[in-house]
Amino acid sequence: MTLPKDETPALDRRSLRKLMAAGLIGSSIEWYDFFIYATAAALVFGELFFPDASPLMGTLLSFSTFWAGFIARPIGGLVFGHFGDKFGRKPALVTCLILMGSATFLIGLLPTADSIGVLAPIALVFLRFLQGIAVGGQWGGVILLLTENAGRDRQGRAGTFGQMGVPIGVILGNIVFLAVSATTSAEAFVSWGWRIPFLASAVLLPVVMFIQLRVEDTPVFRELKSHSEEAADEKVAQAPLKEVVLKHRRPVLLGAGLLFGTNAIFYISIAGVLDYATRDLGVDRDELLAITLAASAISVFVIYFSGGLSDRIGRRPPILVGAAVIALWAFPFFWLIDTAKLPLIFVALVGGLIGSSLTYGPLAAFLAEMFEPRIRYSGASLAYQLAAILVSGATPFIMTALLAATGSSASVSAYVCVMGVITFLSAFVLRETRTKDEIRGEAGRDLARTD
């Protein structure tokens, strides 16, 4: 398979910096909206929406509603991938941001089971489903706006401004939850305090307006559209989703495999451990949220480093190293968690998130480069969101179920190790999209410009 290369010019530095800032802010708020659900599911949704269930069953049911968002993500990736390949990256992204903000805000207004009975969890699942559709379409839009505007030699670094939104979203969510918890009583937090983080999603609106009014679509898509209008053979794919499914199944499946390890350890770190350590190990909720915040802050810098490094040495090496770290750290991770000592839990989270971030940093550029521009939104989104439904949403549920069935965290460690091995093998099998000849050529051009 001949891998696609983008020859379109990059934006000027000033415009690119504005776009990167908008992409980072928009992605961070979007993921904040998606992840505060995980925190609320671990802390309060069980008793508010499933009050008749036991604590364990309430947690399982709460995490099953969390999973609904991930089931919806491939749908969002398919729908908006098709839309983005046919009509443009920007309109698809703006629509997703509006949908996410609206669904999150409405969760903050949702009556609980005490008020409307069984309709409460049904409405919760529906809104979570809309969140999943939004984030499923959003990822492809923001990473393509960034990478397709950055120029060939900076795509890895540019893509991290979408990827860094994930840990920043976790940080923002934890800060808001900590602030609300610190300023309300335990009873008030359960009664109404948990709603504040969801209502705060209204701040996404200015970002939507900036992207809509000040950001143009990518030069890659504009060139495709121009060729389509001028030439008899259509360059913009008329059925991009169908083309991806029929002709590009291998890169989609292997691309999804790239995310198995990073998704498993990440969602265990931000959701599974929060429930396990507070409910089974007796760790203080606020202190655990604080160290999760600190560990997530470290991962922001590792993602940026890893993406930038992939521009210089290739996409696969950082992914392979990160996958190896995830697999090798899986058992020490839970040995440290099981001590119930906060400093050791922090070490466990940092080690796991470093492995996750090394893998995750180059993935925006790598997944985009695996597909030609005319089907890129559909192909990259389908690969990314397929991993979401298979691993991301299932992981907290699987972790809770394994702990209940075996009584030992070793079973969860084994699960994480297997996921890391799958990511390593997927990266090993895939062809490098950032070749040594290409890197040397760009280094030579940079040297010539300095002479």
Side-chain angles (χ1 to χ4, degrees):
M1 180 180 68
T2 302
L3 296 168
K5 289 182 172 59
D6 297 332
E7 304 298 337
T8 50
L11 291 178
D12 63 86
R13 288 184 178 274
R14 184 169 179 270
S15 298
L16 186 58
R17 282 197 296 268
K18 284 184 177 181
L19 178 59
M20 286 182 174
L24 179 62
I25 294 169
S27 178
S28 299
I29 298 174
E30 179 99 349
W31 286 109
Y32 159 87
D33 287 352
F34 196 72
F35 289 142
I36 56 173
Y37 192 102
T39 305
L43 298 179
V44 297
F45 278 176
E47 61 181 295
L48 291 176
F49 292 92
F50 306 98
D52 297 329
S54 66
L56 173 61
M57 186 54 64
T59 299
L60 286 170
L61 290 170
S62 180
F63 279 147
S64 69
T65 67
F66 175 68
W67 196 354
F70 292 89
I71 294 172
R73 277 174 59 173
I75 299 174
L78 293 174
V79 171
F80 287 102
H82 180 88
F83 184 75
D85 280 328
K86 285 197 68 172
F87 303 108
R89 305 351 182 173
K90 187 180 83 169
L93 175 59
V94 169
T95 303
C96 291
L97 292 174
I98 293 173
L99 180 60
M100 172 59 89
S102 302
T104 306
F105 189 82
L106 289 174
I107 291 175
L109 300 176
L110 194 64
T112 63
D114 287 342
S115 301
I116 60 173
V118 72
L119 291 177
I122 292 174
L124 182 67
V125 170
F126 175 72
L127 292 173
R128 178 60 175 173
F129 201 80
L130 292 182
Q131 279 192 320
I133 289 175
V135 82
Q138 169 267 346
W139 181 83
V142 74
I143 68 109
L144 292 187
L145 274 178
L146 291 167
T147 58
E148 290 184 347
N149 274 304
R152 180 66 185 148
D153 59 333
R154 296 185 180 90
Q155 288 181 336
R157 184 175 72 91
T160 65
F161 283 81
Q163 304 293 74
M164 287 187 292
V166 173
I168 292 175
V170 174
I171 292 169
L172 293 174
N174 283 355
I175 288 174
V176 174
F177 267 103
L178 283 169
V180 172
S181 180
T183 54
T184 60
S185 65
E187 295 78 13
F189 181 83
V190 174
S191 175
W192 55 267
W194 66 270
R195 299 179 182 276
I196 295 175
F198 291 90
L199 298 175
S201 66
V203 299
L204 187 60
L205 182 60
V207 180
V208 173
M209 295 304 298
F210 176 84
I211 295 174
Q212 176 63 27
L213 298 176
R214 303 293 298 274
V215 174
E216 291 188 17
D217 219 319
T218 71
V220 171
F221 182 80
R222 294 201 304 271
E223 184 174 332
L224 287 173
K225 188 175 180 181
S226 174
H227 281 301
S228 179
E229 292 170 350
E230 294 173 3
D233 59 320
E234 293 180 332
K235 299 297 183 181
V236 175
Q238 297 306 298
L241 175 58
K242 180 180 178 181
E243 187 172 335
V244 167
V245 172
L246 292 179
K247 299 180 181 180
H248 301 274
R249 286 189 293 269
R250 184 177 183 272
V252 166
L253 293 174
L254 290 173
L258 292 173
L259 287 143
F260 276 30
T262 185
N263 286 1
I265 192 67
F266 178 77
Y267 284 100
I268 282 175
S269 298
I270 70 162
V273 168
L274 184 58
D275 169 66
Y276 173 59
T278 54
R279 181 165 56 86
D280 292 352
L281 303 180
V283 177
D284 180 77
R285 178 191 67 192
D286 290 350
E287 292 178 342
L288 187 58
L289 282 171
I291 65 169
T292 303
L293 187 155
S296 298
I298 293 172
S299 72
V300 173
F301 296 100
V302 179
I303 288 172
Y304 182 80
F305 166 78
S306 180
L309 183 65
S310 77
D311 284 329
R312 299 191 296 275
I313 67 173
R315 312 299 184 208
R316 292 167 69 243
I319 295 172
L320 289 167
V321 172
V325 170
I326 292 167
L328 295 172
W329 190 246
F331 284 92
F333 179 88
F334 271 102
W335 294 339
L336 294 169
I337 296 291
D338 286 340
T339 66
K341 296 179 180 178
L342 285 169
L344 296 182
I345 294 175
F346 177 72
V347 172
L349 294 176
V350 169
L353 290 175
I354 284 176
S356 174
S357 301
L358 283 171
T359 300
Y360 195 62
L363 280 179
F366 195 28
L367 286 175
E369 290 163 351
M370 285 165 58
F371 300 93
E372 58 183 299
R374 63 196 301 274
I375 58 165
R376 180 170 290 160
Y377 203 138
S378 297
S381 293
L382 183 57
Y384 190 92
Q385 305 310 336
L386 184 60
I389 191 173
L390 294 176
V391 179
S392 304
T395 291
F397 183 92
I398 290 173
M399 175 180 167
T400 303
L402 286 173
L403 289 169
T406 66
S408 169
S409 61
S411 58
V412 187
S413 294
Y415 167 74
V416 173
C417 184
V418 169
M419 295 298 103
V421 170
I422 291 174
T423 290
F424 186 92
L425 293 176
S426 298
F428 186 80
V429 170
L430 281 165
R431 186 180 301 180
E432 177 62 69
T433 60
R434 182 75 172 149
T435 65
K436 292 181 180 179
D437 289 342
E438 189 177 22
I439 295 168
R440 282 196 293 266
E442 286 166 0
R445 288 194 294 273
D446 289 342
L447 182 62
R449 282 196 291 267
T450 61
D451 291 344

